[in-house]
Amino acid sequence: MTIAAAHRSIAGAELRTGRKARLACRRGEFTGSTAGLAPGHVQCNLAILPQDLATDFLRFCQLNPKPCPLIGVSEVGDPCLPGLGANLDVRTDLPAYRVWHDGELVEETTDISKWWRPDLVAFALGCSYSFESALIEEGLPIRHIDCGLRVPMYRTNIACVQAGPFAGPMVVSMRPFRPAHAIRAIQITSRFPAVHGAPIHVGLPELIGIRQLAKPDYGDPVMVANDELPVFWACGVTPQAVIAAAKPPFAVTHAPGAMLVTDLMNRQFAML
Amino acid sequence: MTIAAAHRSIAGAELRTGRKARLACRRGEFTGSTAGLAPGHVQCNLAILPQDLATDFLRFCQLNPKPCPLIGVSEVGDPCLPGLGANLDVRTDLPAYRVWHDGELVEETTDISKWWRPDLVAFALGCSYSFESALIEEGLPIRHIDCGLRVPMYRTNIACVQAGPFAGPMVVSMRPFRPAHAIRAIQITSRFPAVHGAPIHVGLPELIGIRQLAKPDYGDPVMVANDELPVFWACGVTPQAVIAAAKPPFAVTHAPGAMLVTDLMNRQFAML
């Protein structure tokens, strides 16, 4: 499948820039998955927390850069992230949000303007869409994309480094590759440390506490053929799970698959 | 084990430069394995062929750069490789040689001066000692070194690209690593394309025609633990096996483990 075809098969191929994608979300015209939107542009996981938790969460990201690669942090009370996009407003520019009180989901919504407060801080974290784009450009087949499924994700027995109330296991995403492609995928994603970087594990899932590849904790199962190895990357669901477990009085996250589309290009994040 | 200890455990720790190692060989004072000699210096596989076969062999190396990374080629009839070392003489400066007539081993010797001819061309090819040195410096344990054994090597079902009479299967060396170390080893060796570079396979030996890891075709078997993956690199035994199969009227190769020690430093070969 060509890159263009892969993108078309998912969603919204007409929204080809970060700005167009964000404005479509802002106007309520687009509320689906951002997978395939604005090809080549960096998409981000979003987390919004009150200021009194922001320092601990920042420290958590710094201590756990593979699952939590920090790309942008707003000023306190400011819903803009000018470094990530012109006229970007985190209150309106994602397709869908989840609002949490004390760790309980209280609303899934397409606009959080009514929830905004002057003490909130927005965090944008790197996302696997960026490195998947690099893998596809190198001609590597990505099973869940080719099958039109969500990537399978698993809780591991690898503990994140704790920071204040933020703690929990690393969540990983899995993509199967033949061995030569697994080696190439390691090389390619090593160039993108800001979007999860190199895999954290390959080949022996039971060693990181994954008992059944066919039963992911999040996403959809995909087939791993006899001539393939499962390759595991640290996943942006990790900070979401950690925030849910910390039960902060208030938090907002992006809804699954509904990412913040930025003006930055994936290629800008290539280390070499 | 520290790097220094790893080197001491093998051989000749007092020969700390390429020049000292070569002169000890030239004087007949050192005839053993060069593993661990002149730490940090590039060591090479050696092949010597008559001029009328040299073009095909050069083309073979160009077509198969992973098993045959070419580091130096002499002028016709000249036993020096000035780019690889001051006062270097390929006739005397290796610990031991094998002389071949029509594919038959006719002599193993420490000096090939009497065999030298004005039509001979010497080829120096990169060797795994260089990338092993980089792996050890990064703290990765190398099983066969820790056990004082030769690296296990296997003929694969991967055909080299043919050039004239030179053809045959790729030979690989195997080192077991835990998955996180396997990923790191792929990253580290990717930086050294001139000395075999990244692995060519990981994890599923039967896919490249290896039936029993415990029965290598060359070298010694090593243990692969349940929490380890076998990682396979293209090996410098490949050109030796290909030359033997081509049965040239005359050829010289280094004796196993008795490499050409150069003045070049491994770090000079790091791509990044």
Side-chain angles (χ1 to χ4, degrees):
Chain A
M1 193 190 296
T2 64
I3 301 167
H7 285 135
R8 262 200 305 281
S9 72
I10 301 165
E14 70 278 15
L15 301 172
R16 299 196 72 78
T17 68
R19 184 176 165 78
K20 280 185 186 170
R22 291 196 303 275
L23 289 178
C25 294
R26 192 181 298 183
R27 290 192 295 256
E29 295 165 8
F30 187 86
T31 57
S33 164
T34 55
L37 249 59
H41 289 73
V42 174
Q43 300 197 17
C44 289
N45 296 285
L46 180 74
I48 297 173
L49 288 166
Q51 178 179 13
D52 58 359
L53 287 168
T55 305
D56 279 335
F57 188 69
L58 265 173
R59 210 156 49 86
F60 183 81
C61 294
Q62 191 272 325
L63 289 165
N64 301 281
K66 294 210 74 147
C68 308
L70 207 51
I71 289 183
V73 186
S74 76
E75 290 192 48
V76 181
D78 185 350
C80 301
L81 285 165
L84 273 62
N87 189 28
L88 185 162
D89 189 326
V90 295
R91 297 171 300 185
T92 53
D93 290 2
L94 279 74
Y97 301 83
R98 286 182 165 178
V99 182
W100 309 80
H101 283 181
D102 301 317
E104 296 292 315
L105 178 63
V106 296
E107 189 175 76
E108 182 150 333
T109 176
T110 61
D111 186 325
I112 56 160
S113 296
K114 72 169 180 184
W115 293 103
W116 193 255
R117 310 183 333 200
D119 69 330
L120 295 181
V121 179
F123 299 85
L125 303 174
C127 151
S128 60
Y129 290 167
S130 296
F131 75 70
E132 286 180 346
S133 170
L135 295 172
I136 292 169
E137 280 172 30
E138 295 267 347
L140 299 199
I142 301 186
R143 180 70 34 80
H144 71 273
I145 294 179
D146 292 344
C147 298
L149 297 169
R150 291 170 302 165
V151 70
M153 292 166 276
Y154 306 85
R155 276 189 295 275
T156 67
N157 61 11
I158 303 168
C160 292
V161 185
Q162 181 165 1
F166 301 108
M170 189 189 297
V171 178
V172 294
S173 60
M174 188 280 286
R175 294 160 190 80
F177 289 105
R178 288 188 290 117
H181 280 166
I183 291 168
R184 190 73 190 118
I186 290 168
Q187 293 177 318
I188 293 167
T189 57
S190 292
R191 299 176 64 219
F192 292 92
V195 287
H196 301 307
I200 60 109
H201 194 79
V202 57
L204 300 168
E206 62 281 10
L207 292 185
I208 56 170
I210 299 172
R211 289 191 196 160
Q212 289 190 273
L213 285 180
K215 296 195 173 170
D217 295 302
Y218 311 90
D220 300 313
V222 301
M223 201 244 317
V224 181
N226 286 336
D227 64 350
E228 294 177 327
L229 299 171
V231 186
F232 300 91
W233 279 267
C235 176
V237 167
T238 309
Q240 297 227 18
V242 160
I243 288 172
K247 301 186 192 303
F250 180 82
V252 177
T253 62
H254 68 278
M259 319 302 274
L260 171 63
V261 186
T262 75
D263 291 351
L264 305 175
M265 302 304 288
N266 291 325
R267 61 172 182 270
Q268 293 176 255
F269 280 64
M271 205 177 52
L272 308 166
Chain B
M1 195 189 297
T2 64
I3 302 167
H7 285 136
R8 261 200 306 280
S9 70
I10 303 165
E14 69 279 15
L15 301 172
R16 299 196 71 79
T17 69
R19 184 176 164 78
K20 280 185 185 170
R22 291 195 303 276
L23 289 178
C25 295
R26 192 180 299 180
R27 290 192 294 256
E29 296 165 6
F30 187 84
T31 57
S33 163
T34 55
L37 249 60
H41 290 73
V42 174
Q43 299 197 18
C44 290
N45 295 284
L46 180 74
I48 296 173
L49 288 166
Q51 179 179 13
D52 59 358
L53 288 168
T55 306
D56 279 335
F57 188 69
L58 265 173
R59 210 156 49 85
F60 183 81
C61 294
Q62 192 272 324
L63 289 165
N64 301 281
K66 294 209 74 150
C68 308
L70 207 50
I71 289 184
V73 185
S74 76
E75 291 192 47
V76 181
D78 185 351
C80 300
L81 285 165
L84 273 61
N87 190 27
L88 184 161
D89 189 327
V90 296
R91 297 171 299 185
T92 52
D93 290 2
L94 280 73
Y97 302 83
R98 287 180 167 180
V99 181
W100 308 81
H101 284 181
D102 301 317
E104 297 292 315
L105 178 64
V106 295
E107 189 175 80
E108 182 150 333
T109 177
T110 60
D111 186 325
I112 56 160
S113 297
K114 71 169 179 183
W115 294 102
W116 193 255
R117 310 181 336 199
D119 69 332
L120 295 182
V121 180
F123 299 84
L125 304 173
C127 152
S128 60
Y129 291 167
S130 294
F131 74 69
E132 286 180 345
S133 170
L135 295 171
I136 292 170
E137 280 172 29
E138 293 267 348
L140 299 199
I142 301 185
R143 179 70 33 82
H144 72 273
I145 294 179
D146 293 344
C147 297
L149 298 168
R150 292 170 301 165
V151 70
M153 292 165 276
Y154 307 84
R155 276 189 295 273
T156 67
N157 61 10
I158 303 168
C160 292
V161 186
Q162 182 166 0
F166 300 110
M170 188 189 296
V171 178
V172 295
S173 60
M174 188 281 285
R175 294 159 191 80
F177 289 106
R178 288 188 290 117
H181 280 167
I183 291 167
R184 190 73 190 118
I186 290 167
Q187 293 177 318
I188 293 166
T189 57
S190 292
R191 300 176 63 218
F192 291 92
V195 286
H196 300 308
I200 58 109
H201 193 80
V202 56
L204 300 168
E206 62 280 10
L207 292 185
I208 55 171
I210 298 172
R211 289 188 196 161
Q212 288 191 274
L213 284 181
K215 295 194 175 172
D217 296 302
Y218 312 90
D220 301 312
V222 302
M223 202 245 316
V224 181
N226 286 336
D227 64 350
E228 294 177 327
L229 298 171
V231 186
F232 300 91
W233 278 267
C235 176
V237 167
T238 309
Q240 297 227 20
V242 160
I243 288 172
K247 300 187 193 303
F250 181 82
V252 177
T253 62
H254 68 276
M259 318 302 275
L260 171 63
V261 185
T262 74
D263 291 351
L264 305 174
M265 302 303 288
N266 290 325
R267 61 172 184 269
Q268 292 176 254
F269 280 63
M271 206 177 53
L272 308 167

